Amino acid sequence: MSSSEADVVIDPQTIKELHLFEAAISDVDTEVTAKQYLMSRDIFAARQKTIAKIPSFWAVTFDNAASELEAAVTPNDLEVFSAALTSVEVTRPEIPASAKPSDLGLDKFGEPRSLQFTFRFGPNEWFADSELTKTFYFRYGKDGSAGLVSEPIKINWKSPEKDLTKGLSDAALAFWNAQKANASQKLDGVLANDARHARDAAAKEIPEYKTLAKKLETDVEGSLSFFNFFSYRGRWISAAEHVEAKAEMLAKRKAAQAGSEMEEDDDEDDDDDEDFTEEAVETFPAGHEVAVTIAEDIFPNAIDYFMGNTIDSDIEIDDDEDEDEEMEG
């Protein structure tokens, strides 16, 4: 560290002002995201009609986006995509139907950071589903955390041998269902600090938790599949807790803008260095990052990913039209 850096002293009030500016910029970015979504969704719907004419479009796109996806798509996943994936759709389900691009103010757009992914498949040898829909909710927690959470969904694998997750997706869903059926888990409740710790401790005694934890230790190959994306859950925060936490966050921001202080929760940051039950048995740890990458980069820029590096893709595609043009030339 240089002497000039060491001598810099910033008073607490200035730091608070910087945080307020940072929050305001983030709000603008989120509002722009909502408006861009509303303005482009019809274009993406029309784009899909053209994409449907191209064999293996989404397989090539995901293959060429491997680095952006942090190697989350395996060769076995690409085989499924190439053989059966017909369309990918990304929506933002918590933007109100009444919202318009001309609206002003983030409050007009609900929660634009929530995402829904719909993967559509033709008949295939791996699973019976023609559609897999996964919803991610952006939520604030009472402990000061914020991020995407989601419920695991069922994939109807045709046989254990065809299950690319080696039973992990089923085990994750079984644990989720067991939590919902267990009164001690209070998945719809508002929990923080000691209450959350108590729930986590109780969760570890649920048989389905132990089964899932064991499978994650032993089935390394299954844990690599992209299809674990559909069982991602994140650090669960209920809708009720989100409402309370967001209201508290906005109240603190308003108080800071007015130059007044609000009492801080002494336990708000107690959880920073701890492992949580959900993280210990998370089947797709990069779920938040991959969801955002698909929604904000790969999906809107799918044509660039498909066209930009197709020659290096491991997926073979038919390009009869180009061959005909070369012969005529």
Side-chain angles (χ1 to χ4, degrees):
M1 179 182 293
S2 67
S3 58
S4 60
E5 290 175 325
D7 294 337
V8 172
V9 177
I10 305 176
D11 67 271
Q13 180 57 35
T14 299
I15 293 175
K16 289 182 180 180
E17 291 174 6
L18 291 175
H19 286 320
L20 287 173
F21 283 122
E22 190 175 44
I25 293 169
S26 178
D27 284 352
V28 170
D29 288 342
T30 303
E31 184 173 343
V32 169
T33 295
K35 292 185 176 187
Q36 185 177 30
Y37 167 75
L38 293 172
M39 295 173 70
S40 61
R41 59 183 173 181
D42 290 343
I43 298 172
F44 289 137
R47 182 186 71 173
Q48 176 54 34
K49 295 178 182 178
T50 298
I51 286 175
K53 303 174 186 178
I54 305 172
S56 301
F57 177 92
W58 287 107
V60 172
T61 297
F62 278 106
D63 188 26
N64 287 342
S67 60
E68 286 77 6
L69 289 171
E70 302 178 15
V73 180
T74 70
N76 288 336
D77 298 325
L78 285 174
E79 184 181 359
V80 178
F81 288 174
S82 182
L85 182 59
T86 59
S87 76
V88 175
E89 181 181 7
V90 180
T91 58
R92 296 183 181 270
E94 295 197 306
I95 295 179
S98 59
K100 304 183 296 295
S102 58
D103 290 340
L104 294 176
L106 184 55
D107 59 309
K108 302 292 195 303
F109 298 98
E111 182 43 81
R113 289 166 290 191
S114 293
L115 301 164
Q116 186 172 82
F117 300 86
T118 301
F119 287 65
R120 297 185 178 90
F121 299 87
N124 63 81
E125 63 184 85
W126 292 274
F127 46 80
D129 309 275
S130 60
E131 186 173 293
L132 294 174
T133 298
K134 177 75 167 171
T135 304
F136 291 73
Y137 299 98
F138 187 91
R139 288 181 176 163
Y140 292 97
K142 295 278 284 183
D143 60 354
S145 63
L148 295 174
V149 301
S150 184
E151 299 184 21
I153 67 167
K154 174 70 174 176
I155 300 177
N156 292 290
W157 300 101
K158 290 186 174 180
S159 71
E161 293 73 27
K162 295 297 182 181
D163 180 355
L164 299 186
T165 73
K166 305 301 181 185
L168 282 176
S169 61
D170 285 344
L173 180 61
F175 173 49
W176 172 258
N177 288 335
Q179 280 190 290
K180 287 198 297 184
N182 190 315
S184 73
Q185 295 301 283
K186 302 177 181 177
L187 293 183
D188 294 327
V190 179
L191 300 178
N193 305 318
D194 291 344
R196 179 177 283 275
H197 291 313
R199 182 177 77 183
D200 285 354
K204 292 179 180 180
E205 299 304 317
I206 296 175
E208 288 82 358
Y209 171 90
K210 297 177 180 179
T211 299
L212 177 56
K214 184 176 181 179
K215 287 192 73 66
L216 280 166
E217 290 179 0
T218 57
D219 294 314
V220 177
E221 181 183 353
S223 69
L224 300 177
S225 173
F226 176 80
F227 283 89
N228 289 303
F229 176 79
F230 297 99
S231 58
Y232 168 83
R233 56 182 293 171
R235 189 184 176 206
W236 182 252
I237 299 169
S238 70
E241 181 175 338
H242 166 73
V243 170
E244 283 194 20
K246 184 175 182 180
E248 291 173 2
M249 181 269 293
L250 292 175
K252 288 179 181 178
R253 187 189 299 183
K254 187 175 181 179
Q257 290 169 336
S260 58
E261 297 281 346
M262 283 191 68
E263 185 177 347
E264 296 287 338
D265 183 351
D266 292 335
D267 296 326
E268 188 172 89
D269 296 321
D270 282 356
D271 297 335
D272 283 352
D273 298 322
E274 297 189 20
D275 292 328
F276 301 99
T277 298
E278 296 97 331
E279 294 174 346
V281 290
E282 177 60 72
T283 59
F284 200 82
H288 178 111
E289 293 78 13
V290 168
V292 172
T293 297
I294 294 174
E296 298 186 357
D297 182 15
I298 296 171
F299 178 76
N301 299 309
I303 295 173
D304 288 340
Y305 278 107
F306 177 80
M307 299 293 289
N309 196 29
T310 300
I311 194 171
D312 293 331
S313 173
D314 291 333
I315 306 298
E316 295 182 4
I317 61 173
D318 295 326
D319 200 357
D320 295 337
E321 184 177 336
D322 286 349
E323 291 178 6
D324 291 342
E325 289 178 357
E326 290 176 7
M327 291 178 65
E328 290 174 4

